[in-house]
Amino acid sequence: MVTIYHNNRCSKSRQTLELLREKGEELQVVEYLKDTPSAQELKAVLQKLGLKPEQVLRKGEQVYKDQYAGKSYTDDEWLQIMAENPILIERPIVVKGDKAAIGRPPEKVLEIL
């Protein structure tokens, strides 16, 4: 089973989802803006990515610029901020077993299949 944290409005996310479908993967699609993962779920995904929360922040988003730019937070605080503002989570994130990848570019997820 492959899980994709997906935003249908994002072209990279749509391309990654299509690529996974072409590969015949059994998919669980999580529309994370509607079905937002908790801080704990995000922490587990980030451990699989081998990244810190700040490394997967979308710093170009207005909410980041308005509220968080230039401020320092702990990893746990960033996880909580991301759970409260899911638009800040980089997308798409694909998880299979104990591995994860960010689909930028979409082909990057092939490394974990």
Side-chain angles (χ1 to χ4, degrees):
M1 171 74 74
V2 173
T3 301
I4 179 171
Y5 292 87
H6 177 64
N7 177 349
N8 200 46
R9 296 182 64 192
C10 171
S11 64
K12 294 284 186 239
S13 198
R14 290 192 308 271
Q15 291 167 11
T16 302
L17 181 58
E18 184 59 31
L19 182 63
L20 292 169
R21 286 187 172 138
E22 285 172 10
K23 292 290 178 190
E25 292 290 336
E26 185 180 341
L27 292 172
Q28 175 185 9
V29 178
V30 177
E31 292 192 33
Y32 70 93
L33 294 178
K34 296 177 192 168
D35 186 14
T36 304
S38 68
Q40 278 305 106
E41 289 171 300
L42 287 169
K43 186 175 188 172
V45 170
L46 288 172
Q47 286 173 337
K48 293 174 184 184
L49 283 168
L51 297 173
K52 293 193 160 287
E54 202 166 357
Q55 293 175 287
V56 298
L57 282 174
R58 295 180 54 83
K59 295 181 179 179
E61 295 292 340
Q62 198 60 49
V63 67
Y64 178 84
K65 292 176 186 175
D66 290 347
Q67 297 180 37
Y68 305 108
K71 297 180 182 175
S72 293
Y73 295 95
T74 66
D75 287 352
D76 285 340
E77 288 170 332
W78 277 124
L79 289 166
Q80 190 59 44
I81 289 165
M82 291 162 65
E84 292 168 6
N85 301 277
I87 194 69
L88 294 176
I89 303 168
E90 185 59 271
R91 59 185 182 254
I93 297 174
V94 176
V95 179
K96 183 172 186 176
D98 62 354
K99 297 178 185 169
I102 296 173
R104 293 188 170 270
E107 295 75 24
K108 188 104 174 104
V109 302
L110 297 176
E111 298 170 5
I112 68 165
L113 300 183

